[in-house]
Each structure stands twice: as structure tokens, then as C-alpha cells.
Amino acid sequence: MAKILTITNQKGGVGKTTTCVNLAASLAVTKKRVLLIDMDPQGNATMGSGVDKHTLEGSVYELLTDQASAVETRISNCPAGYDLIGSNGDLTAAEVELLQMPRREFRLKMALQPIIEEYEYVLIDNPPSLNLLTVNALAASSGVIIPMQCEYYALEGISALVGTINKINQRLNPELKIEGILRTMFDPRMSLTKDVSDHLLEYFGEKVYRTVIPRNVRLAEAPSHGLPALLYDKNSRGAVAYLALAGELIRRSRQAKNEVLQEA
Ligand SMILES: Nc1ncnc2c1ncn2[C@@H]1O[C@H](COP(=O)(O)OP(=O)(O)OP(=O)(O)O)[C@@H](O)[C@H]1O
Ligand SMILES: [Mg+2]
């Protein structure tokens, strides 16, 4: 069964897209069948996957507004090594159009049904906001990955996000849970980083991934080449960290499955 994970944080520039692209590439390289969905009109995950957002034949916009199917909009085996449903500025219009549509919170979930069983992992990148697009992503997902930069304002807004996740869990999607908190752009030389990191561990406990993503220039350079770090410089600290994260994610999924089996 596909594990559908939304990567979100309404704070901008915390590493959502970098995580989505590099985690997708790392899972794909371990031979998992992966689909990345770009729910952000900025189209950064699309470009970062090596696909030009300006020349998309189909996108998340057409998918959500019933103008094209998932099969028609997906790009198989994009240059980054996984399947992609891309997006661009057109998606801004979808937010308004969705308001008039029936089951507006479930458009993504319904649209994915025909292809979902083809994948082991579906990763959804989100804009830096909590809007109807994000609600669609959350309604379609089983888990949320929250990337956080360990800096002074990191915890601000996190209670709003946790509140939204709880609300969606109660009203729209009883399966939804926080999959993990990811510390990004980690710089252990800064004492503030450690303070914020300690707070996160205190508040979220086991939910915080052991893997931390270091600040690494290769991660910042790779998107301008339309590549994940793994294909741009596979020995870089950033690429290695995202591979480790993929490993941790897979191990955690296995553990959870075993616990369910033992309970049964
Ligand atoms: N670990 C890292 N080390 C160095 N640079 C990074 C790292 N992670 C992300 N960056 C850079 O920081 C910037 C913001 O990252 P990214 O685009 O992934 O954040 P985002 O949360 O998706 O932003 P937005 O909210 O605008 O969608 C980008 O220029 C990216 O290349
Ligand atoms: Mg982004």
C-alpha cells in the first residue's frame, strides 16, 4: 500500500522542497516506486526534479479541476529518477476554482485513486501557507513530515500547524498523523541550534528524526542544475544525509508494520 506523505510547514524557506526532492530521489535510488506531487504554484519541486514548469503539458492544476487525469498529468521517470506531477503558476487559480467544487477538500485524494497502488511512496510538496491546497494534501495523506530550521522563530506557528493537523484528523482524515519532524540546515556550531533542537525533542520526542540535515552548499546548488543532490554530487554531506533519512523512514515503516502484525 502506498505511503502518502505531505511535507509541510507554513513557514517559508525551511527546506520543504529540498526535502521533498532529495527524499524522493533517495527512496527511488533504493528501488522504491516513488511519485512526487508538487502542490506549490512556485513550481520549485518541479524545476528541482529537472522538469521545466513553463512547458508542462499537464499539471496539478488540471488534475484538481478535473481537466485531466492522473495518468495524463504524470511524467514518468523524470530526470531526478521518480514519477512527477508538476505544477506552475496556473495552480494559483485552482484555489479559487476549488471553492466552488463539490468535495473540494478531497479533489487530490480522488484524483490519485487510479494510480496510487503503483507506488510505495508518494511525497507531496506544499506552499508556505495553510490553504485549500494544503488541506487537499493533508486529506490525501497518511502522514506529515514537518521540516524545521533550528532557529529562534522555528517554534512560532508550529502550534497552529499541529492544530490544523488535529482538525483535519478529526474532520476529514482519521488516518492522518505526524510522521516525523526533520531538523534542516542544521549547524551544530551555533548554540541556538542546540537550544531549539532540545526544545523540539522535548515537545515531539520520538517523532523527531534522528537524522539531521546539515547546512550544505551542494543542496542549495543542485536545484539550479535540475537535479537532486544525489545525482549532482552523491558524496556531498547533503546527499548522504537525505539517503540516511530515507533509510530511517523505511526502517520506521517496517517497525510500525511489525507492531501492527504483533498486535493482530
Ligand atoms: N540543508 C541545506 N543547506 C543549504 N541550503 C539549503 C538547505 N536546505 C535548503 N536550502 C536552501 O534554502 C532555500 C530554501 O529551501 P527550500 O526551497 O527547500 O525551502 P521551502 O520550505 O521549500 O521554501 P518555500 O517555503 O518558499 O517553499 C533554498 O535556496 C535551498 O536551496
Ligand atoms: Mg518550497
Side-chain angles (χ1 to χ4, degrees), residues 13-18 38 40 42 44-45 125-128:
V14 296
K16 292 180 288 294
T17 302
T18 305
D38 188 354
D40 185 350
Q42 292 182 99
N44 293 344
D125 189 29
N126 281 275

Side-chain angles (χ1 to χ4, degrees), residues 24-25 27-29 32 34 49 76-83 228 231:
L27 288 166
V29 98
K32 301 285 179 197
V34 181
S49 301
S76 295
N77 199 18
C78 73
Y82 42 78
D83 291 359
L231 301 181

Side-chain angles (χ1 to χ4, degrees), residues 58-220:
S59 70
V60 173
Y61 168 69
E62 282 85 10
L63 185 70
L64 292 178
T65 53
D66 269 350
Q67 297 177 57
S69 70
V71 171
E72 287 162 343
T73 47
R74 101 177 127 179
I75 297 167
S76 295
N77 199 18
C78 73
Y82 42 78
D83 291 359
L84 172 81
I85 302 182
S87 93
N88 53 31
D90 292 352
L91 189 55
T92 318
E95 245 212 283
V96 181
E97 289 177 41
L98 281 177
L99 288 174
Q100 325 289 333
M101 299 186 86
R103 291 175 61 75
R104 60 190 181 191
E105 296 93 350
F106 297 103
R107 309 299 307 178
L108 181 66
K109 186 181 167 110
M110 293 188 298
L112 290 178
Q113 286 315 314
I115 59 165
I116 205 73
E117 288 311 322
E118 295 176 35
Y119 298 99
E120 288 157 282
Y121 287 91
V122 177
L123 302 182
I124 310 175
D125 189 29
N126 281 275
S129 48
L130 290 174
N131 56 23
L132 195 48
L133 293 173
T134 323
V135 169
N136 261 272
L138 292 170
S141 299
S142 56
V144 185
I145 295 178
I146 307 175
M148 294 194 64
Q149 210 179 330
C150 292
E151 51 160 42
Y152 187 62
Y153 293 111
L155 295 165
E156 204 172 81
I158 202 71
S159 53
L161 178 56
V162 171
T164 303
I165 293 168
N166 288 340
K167 254 187 231 150
I168 304 255
N169 178 274
Q170 287 159 13
R171 296 184 194 164
L172 302 176
N173 179 4
E175 274 177 41
L176 188 70
K177 61 175 176 39
I178 295 179
E179 175 79 17
I181 311 289
L182 178 67
R183 292 166 286 174
T184 60
M185 301 183 224
F186 199 82
D187 186 351
R189 288 167 305 179
M190 286 170 63
S191 62
L192 183 61
T193 299
K194 187 168 178 323
D195 286 353
V196 176
S197 175
D198 287 349
H199 265 112
L200 283 179
L201 289 163
E202 211 174 281
Y203 189 68
F204 290 105
E206 291 279 291
K207 292 276 181 201
V208 180
Y209 288 112
R210 278 161 197 247
T211 310
V212 294
I213 308 300
R215 191 171 277 286
N216 176 249
V217 70
R218 293 288 188 258
L219 285 172

